[in-house]
Amino acid sequence: MSELLSGPDARSLSDLRGRTDLRGRAEALDAADPLAGKRKAFVLDDTVYLDGNSLGALPAHVPARVADVIERQWGELRIRSWGESGWWSAPERIGDRVAPLVGAAPGQIVVGDSTSVNVFKALVAAVRMVRDTDGGAPDEGRDEILVDATTFPTDGYIARSAARLTGCRVIPAAPAEVPAALGPRTAAVLLNHADYRTGRLHDLPGLTAAVHAAGALAVWDLCHTAGALPVGLDEHGVALAVGCTYKYLNGGPGSPAYLYVRRDLQERFDSPLPGWNSHAEPFGMRPGFEAADGVTRGRVGTPDILSMLALEAALDVWDGVSVDAVRAKSLALTDFFLRCVDAYVPEGLVESLTPEAHAERGSQVALRCSPELSTSFEQGGAPIAGDVMKRLIEQGVVGDFRAPDVLRFGFTPLYVSFADAERAARVLARTLGA
């Protein structure tokens, strides 16, 4: 039949066949997906949810577990639950649940506080450790903190505060520029494993080696990679790392963050926020502070038990799951989504900011909207991407945006399907007027 058609009709038939092929391809990929069974472990609906890089979906069994914490552990046992229900040991116990997801052995991660608080603890401690490497007089010559120039704003705010506290100055540098910016005055380097805006994955092994070779310590922010791809903290000799748990780890809104301190550095870890929970004798109530052994010295005050135990329950979805399998599906999903966008969306309306190379890609796709869309989508000074995303959400495709022109789509391999990816691209094309 195609030989009998020419011009627009032939092009329309070709487009139809291409779209049908992609829908069929999505069905085949979902049928062969070894992680497909995990989707039923989450509370989902007909919405295509591509915002797990901001807030993960709810694991279906968590409400009942939280109800038990509230009704039995708190309601019946009350204060006895600190011991009988394991409340007191939760930060270290749950840290050991997070550890294999970021490539760490047990006893090196403590869960608690927010990412921002943990960045502050790690960064100040890193400067203090570098200045006192031999136990002698502090090396005050190391007075620079390098900070990822493309970092999430809060990391920059915290770094500047840490610099004031330690007498350092902040030097912004893009991750690729860090090796050249390192020098004898560098004390610590704060880096993001993945760029929150574009999804670009940075070279954790190479940058860590360069920082440590220069005599400084690297602090890694894993918020956009933990639970989406292998991190290899122990394998690559990372000194300190922090991360949140409400994105790919699905811990829930405001779930506590975590702090990784490499085992050989733990006895030198000098927290700027010593609290009674990090005291060697927390119930001794002595006025003088003596740090606890091990990673426990990364704790501060009373743990947020309700959100912490919700996180512990949420981590059950990882039982029997290989992070390597998650990474393989993540790359396949983002490859397939980009292929669908290329097939469905007319050329020139969006461009991908996410690297094509797998080694440089996290688990999200960032699309920049063309200025040509401004007449149709920018209303009352609102960002173009914000208006586009609003219309996508109204049609059942949920992502988010970064002003003024970037659409972000996060792919959580445990529950996002290839059919979701195909539908999202199709709705995007329709929304842009294709």
Side-chain angles (χ1 to χ4, degrees):
M1 182 182 294
S2 60
E3 290 85 356
L4 302 177
L5 298 173
S6 61
D9 289 334
R11 187 163 57 252
S12 297
L13 179 59
S14 175
D15 289 345
L16 177 61
R17 284 178 172 169
R19 295 181 183 207
T20 302
D21 288 347
L22 288 173
R23 291 189 199 183
R25 180 61 177 158
E27 292 177 1
L29 289 168
D30 283 331
D33 176 17
L35 295 177
K38 280 292 177 180
R39 184 178 174 92
K40 66 179 182 294
F42 293 87
V43 177
L44 300 168
D45 51 28
D46 291 336
T47 299
V48 174
Y49 189 66
L50 301 181
D51 209 4
N53 54 326
S54 291
L55 176 65
L58 171 66
H61 67 283
V62 169
R65 293 277 288 278
V66 172
D68 177 71
V69 173
I70 293 172
E71 296 169 5
R72 183 182 63 85
Q73 297 181 28
W74 180 14
E76 297 176 16
L77 296 178
R78 293 177 286 274
I79 199 167
R80 291 162 54 193
S81 277
W82 284 105
E84 294 180 29
S85 300
W87 287 2
W88 184 261
S89 59
E92 292 85 0
R93 182 179 71 247
I94 302 171
D96 285 346
R97 296 284 302 279
V98 173
L101 303 180
V102 291
Q108 299 178 100
I109 291 180
V110 64
V111 172
D113 303 312
S114 67
T115 304
S116 299
V117 172
N118 284 322
V119 167
F120 180 74
K121 287 187 283 188
L123 204 50
V124 173
V127 174
R128 289 175 173 177
M129 286 190 287
V130 165
R131 286 178 170 176
D132 194 23
T133 55
D134 60 1
D139 181 4
E140 299 294 347
R142 290 195 176 267
D143 59 359
E144 293 180 350
I145 298 174
L146 299 188
V147 177
D148 183 346
T150 61
T151 190
F152 188 74
T154 290
D155 283 10
Y157 307 155
I158 295 293
R160 286 190 285 275
S161 179
R164 290 196 301 271
L165 180 67
T166 57
C168 291
R169 64 189 184 109
V170 170
I171 309 293
E177 300 168 349
V178 163
L182 293 167
R185 300 182 66 173
T186 307
V189 182
L190 177 59
L191 293 163
N192 288 270
H193 195 190
D195 187 294
Y196 78 99
R197 195 165 179 269
T198 66
R200 177 178 290 277
L201 185 67
H202 299 306
D203 180 13
L204 182 146
L207 289 171
T208 297
V211 171
H212 293 175
L217 290 177
V219 178
W220 283 96
D221 184 332
L222 309 177
C223 285
H224 287 270
T225 53
L229 52 89
V231 177
L233 293 179
D234 286 354
E235 176 186 357
H236 302 304
V238 172
L240 300 157
V242 302
C244 66
T245 60
Y246 50 79
K247 299 181 190 295
Y248 297 109
L249 297 183
N250 312 295
S255 59
Y258 57 89
L259 168 68
Y260 166 87
V261 183
R262 199 175 69 206
R263 193 178 308 280
D264 65 305
L265 297 176
Q266 290 174 5
E267 295 310 304
R268 293 172 47 217
F269 183 84
D270 184 5
S271 173
L273 295 174
W276 76 289
N277 266 228
S278 55
H279 199 288
E281 295 182 49
F283 293 97
M285 302 302 168
R286 293 189 280 108
F289 181 76
E290 179 184 348
D293 291 332
V295 76
T296 297
R297 62 178 57 198
R299 292 174 64 160
V300 183
T302 305
D304 299 318
I305 290 300
L306 297 183
S307 59
M308 187 167 291
L309 297 188
L311 166 63
E312 183 173 34
L315 291 172
D316 287 351
V317 300
W318 288 94
D319 291 347
V321 174
S322 160
V323 179
D324 288 332
V326 168
R327 176 58 167 168
K329 183 178 177 182
S330 167
L331 292 172
L333 277 169
T334 49
D335 277 343
F336 184 67
F337 177 69
L338 287 168
R339 178 181 172 188
C340 291
V341 169
D342 184 60
Y344 293 169
V345 179
E347 186 176 355
L349 294 186
V350 294
E351 64 169 323
S352 175
L353 300 180
T354 301
E356 291 186 12
H358 287 179
E360 299 174 3
R361 186 192 306 169
S363 198
Q364 75 178 49
V365 172
L367 301 178
R368 173 177 286 153
C369 297
S370 167
E372 296 176 15
L373 297 171
S374 60
T375 302
S376 301
F377 287 92
E378 192 170 11
Q379 300 175 354
I384 301 171
D387 197 357
V388 174
M389 186 54 67
K390 178 182 177 182
R391 298 191 193 187
L392 287 175
I393 292 171
E394 289 171 350
Q395 298 172 82
V397 174
V398 178
D400 66 7
F401 75 98
R402 289 293 177 262
D405 57 4
V406 176
L407 302 169
R408 297 196 319 167
F409 301 94
F411 290 84
T412 305
L414 293 186
Y415 56 78
V416 173
S417 68
F418 290 91
D420 287 337
E422 189 276 335
R423 178 181 162 195
R426 184 162 28 94
V427 172
L428 175 64
R430 183 169 67 228
T431 301
L432 298 180

